């Protein structure tokens, strides 16, 4: 079964750091591009970051650029998001999502179950 | 960056109704448009990819259409399990932006 499982969320004070992990199984992780997407309480989906299959190409949303770092370890089938200088507005459920390509089209599937990050004093 | 705008933001409908949700891109995205369904406390689920292709396992009452900048998601006959929030997403370029969502509620 193709599966993504996030971990590492929790309560952190403003200015603090947290590292999220996403464990992949059921597919050849090293062949796929990956993303982090977040959802603040009661709000819509916000794309956060992208990493290519090799890790050589990375993009960030302007809202997290300079504070968050995406990385991957293909040997461990794992995706990471290092979050520094956290702010109250970073409070959200964070999802990892795989990009699936077929016949030139692409979409996010599957998604993990999400991990909640709460930034509060 | 490409901006995605959905309408309406919320919609009240009854079981058996036909509903349509629209999504507009700020520039042409060809058919690089996906639709997701999200229920409370759950991850988004892919419904339609490439504007009109139904994901495996998704009921045929769901359909998508459009190309360029204007797209629609139609549910032909609403079922109780369809009450959820729906998001469009462009997959033409990074960032692969989402619409703001359409909350479908029971009338």
């Amino acid at each position: 079964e193709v599966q993504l499982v996030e971990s590492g969320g929790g309560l952190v004070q403003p200015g603090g750091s947290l590292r999220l992990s996403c464990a992949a199984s059921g597919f050849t992780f090293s062949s796929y591009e990956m993303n982090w997407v977040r959802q603040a309480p009661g709000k819509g989906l916000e794309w956060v970051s992208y990493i290519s299959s090799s890790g050589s190409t990375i993009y960030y949303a302007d809202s997290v650029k300079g504070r968050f770092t995406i990385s991957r370890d293909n040997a461990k089938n794992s995706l990471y998001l290092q979050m520094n200088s956290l702010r109250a507005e970073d409070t959200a459920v964070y999802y990892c999502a795989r990009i699936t390509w077929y016949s030139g089209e692409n979409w996010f599937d599957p998604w993990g179950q999400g991990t909640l990050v709460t930034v509060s004093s | 960056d490409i901006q995605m705008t959905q309408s309406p933001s919320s919609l009240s409908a009854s079981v058996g109704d036909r509903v349509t949700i629209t999504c507009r891109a700020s520039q042409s995205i060809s058919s690089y448009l996906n639709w997701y369904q999200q229920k409370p406390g759950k991850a988004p689920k892919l419904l339609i990819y490439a504007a009109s292709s139904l994901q495996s396992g998704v009921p045929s009452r769901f359909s998508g259409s459009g190309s360029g900048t204007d797209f629609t998601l139609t549910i032909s006959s609403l079922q109780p399990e369809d009450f959820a929030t729906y998001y469009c997403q462009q997959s033409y370029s990074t960032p692969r932006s989402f619409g703001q969502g359409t909350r479908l509620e029971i009338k």
Side-chain angles (χ1 to χ4, degrees):
Chain A
E1 179 191 4
V2 175
Q3 194 172 14
L4 298 171
V5 178
E6 301 94 338
S7 61
L11 175 63
V12 61
Q13 293 187 338
S17 298
L18 212 55
R19 188 197 196 203
L20 305 184
S21 299
C22 171
S25 60
F27 64 98
T28 305
F29 179 71
S30 60
S31 296
Y32 288 86
E33 303 156 278
M34 298 293 297
N35 295 266
W36 288 99
V37 177
R38 69 183 180 183
Q39 187 170 38
K43 303 297 184 182
L45 301 172
E46 178 189 13
W47 172 82
V48 171
S49 186
Y50 159 96
I51 188 167
S52 62
S53 57
S54 66
S56 60
T57 301
I58 285 172
Y59 299 107
Y60 298 100
D62 288 343
S63 57
V64 307
K65 201 172 295 182
R67 301 186 298 121
F68 289 12
T69 302
I70 191 172
S71 63
R72 65 191 298 161
D73 185 336
N74 286 340
K76 293 184 178 179
N77 293 332
S78 292
L79 174 72
Y80 305 102
L81 187 67
Q82 177 68 43
M83 305 186 295
N84 298 331
S85 303
L86 282 161
R87 306 166 180 167
E89 55 264 36
D90 296 318
T91 294
V93 174
Y94 285 74
Y95 297 100
C96 59
R98 186 187 79 175
I99 295 180
T100 295
W101 285 88
Y102 181 74
S103 294
E105 302 284 352
N106 69 94
W107 53 88
F108 285 13
D109 185 67
W111 296 61
Q113 85 287 354
T115 188
L116 176 63
V117 172
T118 303
V119 184
S120 175
S121 54
Chain B
D1 295 358
I2 299 173
Q3 310 302 317
M4 306 301 293
T5 304
Q6 282 181 239
S7 61
S9 297
S10 63
L11 175 60
S12 294
S14 301
V15 172
D17 283 353
R18 178 185 179 91
V19 300
T20 297
I21 298 169
T22 64
C23 179
R24 175 166 289 176
S26 60
Q27 67 181 72
S28 177
I29 57 171
S30 184
S31 63
Y32 291 90
L33 191 284
N34 308 314
W35 289 98
Y36 301 87
Q37 177 194 65
Q38 187 180 34
K39 296 183 178 179
K42 300 294 187 181
K45 169 190 169 185
L46 178 70
L47 293 178
I48 288 172
Y49 62 92
S52 60
S53 296
L54 201 64
Q55 170 70 339
S56 176
V58 174
S60 59
R61 62 181 178 272
F62 291 92
S63 64
S65 65
S67 66
T69 60
D70 295 309
F71 302 87
T72 60
L73 171 69
T74 299
I75 310 173
S76 60
S77 177
L78 273 174
Q79 298 302 300
E81 60 268 29
D82 300 337
F83 292 93
T85 301
Y86 294 84
Y87 294 93
C88 62
Q89 179 208 30
Q90 63 84 15
S91 54
Y92 181 82
S93 65
T94 297
R96 284 172 168 81
S97 42
F98 295 90
Q100 79 278 17
T102 295
R103 184 176 180 181
L104 181 52
E105 300 174 319
I106 301 173
K107 182 183 287 184

